[in-house]
């Protein structure tokens, strides 16, 4: 059975079932700022009545870096487990920094291991960094996810000079703008997530 259709027999109407959103933490760099941004985002997403979140942290996945159709024992179970987590998701949010004008290598590794799990699902972006706020990473990711038949959401949340925007407790120092941006992102993600989930249930996607 195609993983993407494994949960198509939901007992409750699509419009009322919470949207399962996989929040992907894209950095594994030592001393990373990523958990601060991810915690901020999850605090907003978990308060949305139409969303259920699951955090997928690339730093804890231990995916092989050599792609293979027949992973070795041990790696095979890891690949299958991560694939099942992605397949369960109705939508994705990628929390990413910008490394050298693009996004982190562990995120590309995660993306490249899978295909059907991404297809016909929406993906949103929360980026952070220095002056650019991680937006160059997001622009590269839009091209990658388009190749995988995902729908990238137009609105993003980006934190420019991110370290200065949060206090030592992880609270945003001036939250009004960021709160408005994340509300727009979540509302769009829910709309697209519900629409594409209903479409996949009515007609399994053939990408």
């Amino acid at each position: 059975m195609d993983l993407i259709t494994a949960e198509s027999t939901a007992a409750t109407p699509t419009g009322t079932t919470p949207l399962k959103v996989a929040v992907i933490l894209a950095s594994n760099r030592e001393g990373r700022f990523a958990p601060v941004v991810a915690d901020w985002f999850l605090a907003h997403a978990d308060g949305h009545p139409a969303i259920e979140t699951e955090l997928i942290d690339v730093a804890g996945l231990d995916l092989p870096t050599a792609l293979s159709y027949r992973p070795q024992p041990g790696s095979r179970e890891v690949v299958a487990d991560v694939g099942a987590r992605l397949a369960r998701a109705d939508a994705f949010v990628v929390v990413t920094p910008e490394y050298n004008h693009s996004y982190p290598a562990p995120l590309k590794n995660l993306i490249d291991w899978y295909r059907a799990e991404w297809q016909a699902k929406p993906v949103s972006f929360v980026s952070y960094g220095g002056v650019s706020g991680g937006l160059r990473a997001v622009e590269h990711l839009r091209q990658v996810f388009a190749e995988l038949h995902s729908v990238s959401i137009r609105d993003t949340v980006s934190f420019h000079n991110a370290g200065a925007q949060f206090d030592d407790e992880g609270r945003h120092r001036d939250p009004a703008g960021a709160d408005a941006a994340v509300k727009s992102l979540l509302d769009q993600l829910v709309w697209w997530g519900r629409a594409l989930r209903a479409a996949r249930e009515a007609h399994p996607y053939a990408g």
Side-chain angles (χ1 to χ4, degrees), residues 57-134:
D57 186 346
V58 298
L61 296 184
D62 200 26
L63 279 171
T65 56
L67 301 180
S68 171
Y69 290 110
R70 296 179 180 84
Q72 295 297 314
S75 294
R76 185 181 305 128
E77 289 75 15
V78 172
V79 172
D81 176 69
V82 175
R85 295 169 71 187
L86 296 174
R88 285 196 299 268
D90 299 307
F92 306 101
V93 176
V94 178
V95 179
T96 185
E98 181 179 313
Y99 290 175
N100 298 322
H101 216 95
S102 192
Y103 55 93
L107 175 59
K108 188 64 162 65
N109 189 49
L110 169 64
I111 292 170
D112 288 348
W113 264 108
Y114 305 98
R115 185 167 181 83
E117 290 82 355
W118 304 113
Q119 290 181 342
K121 297 179 183 180
V123 55
S124 291
F125 305 101
V126 177
S127 66
Y128 64 94
V131 174
S132 72

Side-chain angles (χ1 to χ4, degrees), residues 8-75:
S8 64
T9 56
T12 54
T14 294
T16 60
T17 305
L19 199 70
K20 297 177 181 177
V21 177
V23 179
I24 299 171
L25 193 53
S27 172
N28 68 346
R29 177 177 284 178
E30 183 179 356
R32 62 188 182 160
F33 194 70
V36 175
V37 179
D39 288 347
W40 176 89
F41 175 77
L42 288 167
H44 288 78
D46 289 342
H48 197 294
I51 288 175
E52 292 180 355
T53 61
E54 179 182 4
L55 181 64
I56 299 178
D57 186 346
V58 298
L61 296 184
D62 200 26
L63 279 171
T65 56
L67 301 180
S68 171
Y69 290 110
R70 296 179 180 84
Q72 295 297 314
S75 294

